[in-house]
C-alpha cells in the first residue's frame, strides 16, 4: 500500500480545499501510472504547516517572510 505524505505551508488562504483534492488525485494517479500501484489502496496525507511552526537560521518563517516583505517595500 503506497503511503505519501505531503507537507506544505498554510499561507494566504492556500492550499484551498480544491487544491488539496487536486494534489491527492494527482499523486494517486502518478503512483498508479509510474509504479503501477492500486489507486484504491493509495494513501495521501497532507500536513499543513503554519509558518510560525518552523524556522530557518534561528527565526520563524513568519518573521523571515515579514522582514523580506518589509525590505521589498522600501
Amino acid at each position: 500500500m503506497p503511503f505519501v505524505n505531503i507537507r506544505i505551508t498554510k499561507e494566504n488562504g492556500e492550499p484551498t480545499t480544491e487544491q488539496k483534492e487536486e494534489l491527492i488525485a494527482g499523486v494517486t494517479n502518478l503512483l498508479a501510472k509510474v509504479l503501477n500501484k492500486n489507486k484504491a489502496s493509495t494513501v495521501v496525507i497532507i500536513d499543513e504547516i503554519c509558518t510560525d511552526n518552523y524556522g530557518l537560521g534561528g527565526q520563524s518563517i513568519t518573521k523571515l517572510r515579514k522582514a523580506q516583505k518589509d525590505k521589498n517595500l522600501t
Side-chain angles (χ1 to χ4, degrees), residues 8-45:
I8 189 166
T9 56
K10 180 74 172 174
E11 309 179 66
N12 305 318
E14 292 185 330
T16 64
T17 298
E18 293 79 17
Q19 288 170 324
K20 289 184 276 188
E21 289 174 357
E22 189 172 342
L23 284 169
I24 292 167
V27 168
T28 301
N29 289 333
L30 184 64
L31 286 168
K33 177 182 175 185
V34 174
L35 299 177
N36 198 31
K37 296 297 181 179
N38 183 345
K39 290 181 183 183
S41 64
T42 298
V43 176
V44 179
I45 295 176

Side-chain angles (χ1 to χ4, degrees), residues 36-69:
N36 198 31
K37 296 297 181 179
N38 183 345
K39 290 181 183 183
S41 64
T42 298
V43 176
V44 179
I45 295 176
I46 298 174
D47 289 325
E48 295 176 274
I49 303 168
C50 174
T51 57
D52 288 341
N53 294 340
Y54 76 107
L56 179 65
Q59 293 187 357
S60 74
I61 297 300
T62 301
K63 279 189 172 182
L64 290 171
R65 295 228 173 112
K66 183 181 182 319
Q68 184 64 40
K69 184 178 178 183

